[in-house]
Amino acid sequence: MTFTNEEEAYQAYNAYAFSKGFGIRKGKKFYNRKNELRGCTFLCCCEGYSEFAPSDDRKTERSLKRCGCMARIRFHIEGGVWEVVEFNDFHNHPFVEDNQKHLIRSCRKITETKGGILNTMVESGIKATEAYSYLTNEAGGAQNVGFTLQDCRNFLQSKRMNLISAGDCQSLLKHLQSLQASGSNLFYSFQVDDQNRMTNFFWCDGASRIDYDYFGDVVVFDTTYRTNKYNMVCAPFVGVNNHWKNVLFGCAFMLDETITSFIWVFETFMEAMGGKAPKTIFTDQDSAMANAIGKVFPNSVHRLCVWHISKNATQHISHLLSDSRFKAKLNKIMYEVEMENEMEQLWRDLCEEWNVGENKWLCNLYSLRHKWCPAFNRASFSAGIRSTQRSESMNNVFKHLSCKTMTLTEFVNHYEKQAEKMRDNQVADDFECTRGVPRVGVDCGILRQAAQVYTLKIFKKFQAEYFQGLSWHVTSSKHEGGVCTYTLMKELGHAEHSVSFDSNNVIISCTCRLFDLLGWLCCHALTVMNNHLNMTTIPMQYILKRWTKSARREFHHDDGGSCSFDLTMSKTYHLKELMRQSFNVMSLSVNDIETVKIAKNKLHELDVEIRNYASSVSKSENPAMRNKDNDVPQHASTKILDPLRRKSKGMTNTRLKSAIEKRKKGNSSKGKKRLPPFHGMTPIEQTPMLNTDFHMNPSHQTMGLSSNMMSIQHAHAQPFSYTSLLTQGYQGVPSVPQIMFPSDCPP
C-alpha cells in the first residue's frame, strides 16, 4: 500500500483509527546522510508511558493515558512514495465507544473555514461559548462539528496571542501603519513616558474626519469608562448626525485625568480635524477638563452634563431630594426653565423655602449655572444634547465587547467594526429618506416643505413643534419701521414670548431662542408665520443644512473613500463569491436525496481536481493573489512598550461609579468575606510624567526635538476606505478515501 505524501498517509491512517476507536500521533522520522526523509512512523496515542511529575508542579492534574501500546504503522519513503512496510494492529487497551469517537484528539481539527467563522463571530461581540453552540447546531451536534469547546477557546486564545506577538502597543502601531499604507485617511497619535511606555493615545479614521466637517458643531466628550486591561480611561468623541443618531469623531485612551493629559488629547483632536474647534462641547464636571477646554477651545461653549449633576446631587443633598417638592423645583431649574430671570427667581425661592443658601454644594452649583442651566445657554447651539448620555450609550455599545483583559489592539478592532455598523445605519437612514417623504399631519405649505428637506427624524420633531403652536395665541402686536413684534401667550399658564419679524431682511426671531439652540424654528415663530404673516414656506436661512437630507451631498466616495485596489485581486473577494455560489448549490440540493448525492459526488470531484492542481504548482505564493491588506510597511522606530497593567484600589473596568452607588454595592455585600486591601503603588508612583509625543505621517520620517516634547512623525494619508478582513481564505475539508488496513498484515 502506497501514498504520495505525508498528509495523505496520515489522513488515511487517522481515518482508519477513527473507525476503530483509537487516536494516533506522529512518531520518529528517519533521514539518510543527505538529510533526505527515508522513514516515518505513526503511533497509537497510548504508545509509551507518561512521565511522572508531582501534582504540585501542575495547575491541573491530568490523568495518565499512555499504557505502552505497540500499535503502529511504519512507512518507507523512496522517490516521494510512502510505502507501508510495517503494520501492527494489536492494542492493549479498550477502544473508544462510538458516541465518544468525536473526542479523540487526533480526529479533532479546526479547519481554516471554521476558524474564520469563529473569528468573525467573536470579533462581532459573540462569546466563544455561543459561537461554538452556533457551529454545533449548524453541524447537527457536537459529534459532527469536529472539535470541542476547549479547542475553540484555545484557538481563539492563540489568535489573540498572535495578534499581539510583538507587544500590544507595537502590534497596534503595525495595524495602524497597515491602514495608512493602504491609503486610509487615518490619523493617530500617542505619548510615551521616559521608559517608552505608551501613556495617552488618540486615533480617528478618514470617515470620522469627514463626519466632523458636517456635524462637528457639537461634541460630547466623556471620560467615565475604563475598558481594557491597563485600566486606561476610554474617552470617545461623539456627535449627532442629521438623523439624530450618534456619530463617532474619534477616541482616546488616557492613563490619567490630569490637565496635561486633557490638553494633549484636545490639541491632538484639533490637529486631526484641521484646527476646527466645536461650537459647543459637553463634558463631565471635572476641573482639570474645564481648565484644558479653556486653553484649547477658548471660543467654544463648555456645557456640563446635567445627568451627572443629578447623580452627584444624590450624594450631597440626598436629605433634600427626599422632599418631592424640592426635587420637582430643582428638576424644573435644571431641565425646563427657559428665561434667566425665571431661573434666578426659582433659585431664590428654593434657597429661602428650604433654607439652603449656605449649602456649599448648591452654592458651587449655582456658580456654574451658566454651564448647565438651559436658560443661560439658549444662544449656543447644542443639537438637542443635554448630557453626556449620548457618549455613554456609545460606551454601552463597546461594553459587551470589552472586558478587563482586552488589549488595546482588540479594542481598536472592535471600534472599527462598530463604527462601520453605525455608518451602515447612516446609509440605511439616507436610503429611507431618499425613497419618499413622510406623511404630514396637516396639509400646509410649511409642513410640506419641511417634509421635503428635513430627514425623517428631524421632520417629526419639527412637526411636533408646529402642533405645539396651536396652544399659543397672539395677544398684541406693534409695528416700528419694518419690524413687527408679536406677543404670544399660552392658553393654559402664564408663559409669554415675543416674536419679531423684519420684513425688509426676512429675519424672524423669538425670545425663546429655540432656533439658536436646536436649529429649527420654534412653535411661536411658526404660529406667527402661519396665522399673521401668511407665509407658506420656511425662509432658507432658517433651514439648517446639518438637519437636511442633503447634509452629506458634497461627500465624494473617493475622499472617504472607495477601494483603491482591484477587488478581484482580493482573497476576501474570492471567498465571498465562492461561498455565495456554494450556498446556492447547497440550498438547491438539500431538498431531495438524489440531488444531495449529486452534490456530494461533484464536490468530491471538485476537491480532487483542486488538490491535484495545488500540488502541481509551486509552493511559493502566487504574486497575483497576494493579499495587499497584509502588506505592512516597516518603519525603523523605537519599540513602544505596553502600559503597566494596574488596578488601583476600588477601580473597576466599567463606568466609574458615584459614591452612593459604591455605598449601595457595599451594603449589598455585607456578611461576605472581603478581600485584603491592595497595597500596590498608585499610577502616579508607577509612571513618570509624560514627556514624549509621537505622531505618525508617511510624509515625515525625521526626528526632531522641542522644548519638552519629542515629535517624531505627523499623521495624514490620502483618503481611502479600509474594511478589515473578517474571514480567512477558504480551504475545503480534506476528503479521505476509506482505506481498510488488513488485520493480518505481517509486522
Side-chain angles (χ1 to χ4, degrees), residues 197-422:
R197 294 186 181 276
M198 182 179 289
T199 53
N200 293 329
F201 173 62
F202 171 83
W203 83 100
C204 65
D205 57 15
S208 295
R209 301 169 76 180
I210 293 174
D211 287 333
Y212 185 81
D213 286 338
Y214 296 119
F215 311 115
D217 41 15
V218 178
V219 171
V220 181
F221 181 70
D222 185 20
T223 59
T224 62
Y225 201 79
R226 297 178 186 263
T227 183
N228 56 69
K229 70 178 184 180
Y230 310 110
N231 204 34
M232 300 178 77
V233 177
C234 174
F237 289 86
V238 183
V240 183
N241 64 11
N242 55 334
H243 299 286
W244 198 263
K245 291 184 178 179
N246 285 343
V247 58
L248 288 170
F249 296 144
C251 190
F253 280 115
M254 303 169 60
L255 191 66
D256 54 31
E257 296 179 83
T258 61
I259 296 177
T260 304
S261 296
F262 283 125
I263 289 178
W264 180 87
V265 169
F266 293 147
E267 288 179 344
T268 306
F269 176 76
M270 279 273 286
E271 182 182 355
M273 303 307 172
K276 178 183 176 182
K279 294 180 180 179
T280 305
I281 180 169
F282 283 83
T283 69
D284 304 328
Q285 190 175 351
D286 185 277
S287 58
M289 197 186 307
N291 291 332
I293 289 174
K295 294 179 180 179
V296 183
F297 305 129
N299 299 321
S300 300
V301 177
H302 181 202
R303 300 277 298 274
L304 295 180
C305 168
V306 182
W307 182 80
H308 279 93
I309 293 177
S310 300
K311 296 287 290 183
N312 292 333
T314 60
Q315 307 174 35
H316 298 90
I317 55 171
S318 57
H319 60 290
L320 296 172
L321 293 177
S322 60
D323 189 332
S324 59
R325 294 188 301 111
F326 178 90
K327 185 176 181 179
K329 182 162 289 190
L330 183 62
N331 286 339
K332 183 176 182 180
I333 294 174
M334 296 179 64
Y335 295 100
E336 301 176 12
V337 67
E338 295 181 356
M339 307 300 293
E340 295 181 15
N341 56 356
E342 182 184 3
M343 183 271 175
E344 298 287 358
Q345 183 59 46
L346 287 173
W347 189 268
R348 284 193 295 268
D349 296 341
L350 185 88
C351 294
E352 292 175 1
E353 185 173 354
W354 281 273
N355 193 24
V356 292
E358 301 299 326
N359 186 285
K360 292 183 179 180
W361 187 83
L362 288 174
C363 290
N364 181 60
L365 182 65
Y366 178 76
S367 65
L368 298 174
R369 62 191 181 281
H370 294 87
K371 291 187 176 183
W372 57 264
C373 182
F376 293 91
N377 294 285
R378 300 191 73 81
S380 59
F381 183 73
S382 68
I385 299 175
R386 284 190 174 182
S387 71
T388 57
Q389 283 179 298
R390 275 192 177 271
S391 184
E392 288 183 351
S393 67
M394 290 307 307
N395 279 326
N396 290 332
V397 170
F398 297 124
K399 183 176 181 180
H400 73 282
L401 297 176
S402 61
C403 61
K404 62 183 179 181
T405 60
M406 175 167 285
T407 64
L408 294 175
T409 307
E410 289 176 312
F411 186 90
V412 171
N413 288 334
H414 288 316
Y415 178 94
E416 292 172 352
K417 292 174 176 57
Q418 291 299 324
E420 186 178 353
K421 290 180 181 179
M422 295 172 65

Side-chain angles (χ1 to χ4, degrees), residues 10 13-14 17-18 20-25 42-47 69 71 91 93 95-96 101 104-107:
Y10 180 83
Y13 188 51
N14 193 32
F18 178 80
K20 295 278 288 186
F22 67 95
I24 66 171
R25 57 186 173 88
F42 298 150
L43 310 169
C44 172
C45 63
C46 294
E47 184 271 344
C69 180
H91 297 264
H93 56 86
F95 291 127
V96 177
K101 287 182 178 180
I104 298 175
R105 183 65 190 91
S106 62
C107 301

Side-chain angles (χ1 to χ4, degrees), residues 527-560:
T527 298
V528 173
M529 290 168 56
N530 195 45
N531 298 335
H532 297 271
L533 301 178
N534 297 323
M535 298 176 67
T536 58
T537 59
I538 307 171
M540 292 306 298
Q541 64 267 32
Y542 295 106
I543 299 178
L544 206 61
K545 186 175 181 180
R546 63 132 33 243
W547 295 131
T548 63
K549 300 175 183 179
S550 60
R552 295 170 54 90
R553 289 287 169 82
E554 297 176 1
F555 171 72
H556 300 287
H557 289 283
D558 292 339
D559 297 333

Side-chain angles (χ1 to χ4, degrees), residues 156 367 592:
L156 295 173
S367 65
D592 185 80

Side-chain angles (χ1 to χ4, degrees), residues 596-637:
V596 170
K597 292 180 180 179
I598 295 174
K600 284 184 176 181
N601 293 334
K602 295 297 181 182
L603 286 174
H604 176 69
E605 295 175 4
L606 183 63
D607 179 76
V608 173
E609 182 179 356
I610 293 176
R611 290 180 181 277
N612 291 336
Y613 172 79
S615 62
S616 64
V617 299
S618 174
K619 294 183 179 180
S620 61
E621 184 182 27
N622 185 359
M625 291 296 295
R626 182 175 298 165
N627 184 1
K628 298 182 181 180
D629 293 334
N630 292 330
D631 294 338
V632 180
Q634 300 297 324
H635 294 275
S637 60

Side-chain angles (χ1 to χ4, degrees), residues 468-636:
Q468 284 186 18
L470 299 177
S471 61
W472 289 85
H473 301 283
V474 175
T475 57
S476 64
S477 62
K478 62 179 180 179
H479 303 268
E480 294 181 359
V483 178
C484 301
T485 303
Y486 300 87
T487 302
L488 294 86
M489 290 193 66
K490 202 170 185 179
E491 287 183 353
L492 301 176
H494 304 284
E496 180 179 297
H497 284 287
S498 297
V499 176
S500 299
F501 177 70
D502 185 348
S503 58
N504 297 327
N505 301 312
V506 194
I507 297 176
I508 188 168
S509 61
C510 180
T511 54
C512 75
R513 310 195 73 167
L514 184 74
F515 178 79
D516 297 329
L517 184 67
L518 299 180
W520 56 77
L521 289 173
C522 63
C523 59
H524 319 113
L526 293 173
T527 298
V528 173
M529 290 168 56
N530 195 45
N531 298 335
H532 297 271
L533 301 178
N534 297 323
M535 298 176 67
T536 58
T537 59
I538 307 171
M540 292 306 298
Q541 64 267 32
Y542 295 106
I543 299 178
L544 206 61
K545 186 175 181 180
R546 63 132 33 243
W547 295 131
T548 63
K549 300 175 183 179
S550 60
R552 295 170 54 90
R553 289 287 169 82
E554 297 176 1
F555 171 72
H556 300 287
H557 289 283
D558 292 339
D559 297 333
S562 59
C563 200
S564 64
F565 60 91
D566 186 5
L567 281 176
T568 60
M569 304 301 293
S570 170
K571 193 175 181 181
T572 305
Y573 173 82
H574 292 295
L575 173 63
K576 292 179 179 179
E577 287 295 312
L578 291 174
M579 290 185 68
R580 185 182 299 111
Q581 294 184 19
S582 60
F583 184 79
N584 291 336
V585 172
M586 289 187 292
S587 299
L588 290 173
S589 59
V590 75
N591 296 321
D592 185 80
I593 187 64
E594 293 299 325
T595 55
V596 170
K597 292 180 180 179
I598 295 174
K600 284 184 176 181
N601 293 334
K602 295 297 181 182
L603 286 174
H604 176 69
E605 295 175 4
L606 183 63
D607 179 76
V608 173
E609 182 179 356
I610 293 176
R611 290 180 181 277
N612 291 336
Y613 172 79
S615 62
S616 64
V617 299
S618 174
K619 294 183 179 180
S620 61
E621 184 182 27
N622 185 359
M625 291 296 295
R626 182 175 298 165
N627 184 1
K628 298 182 181 180
D629 293 334
N630 292 330
D631 294 338
V632 180
Q634 300 297 324
H635 294 275

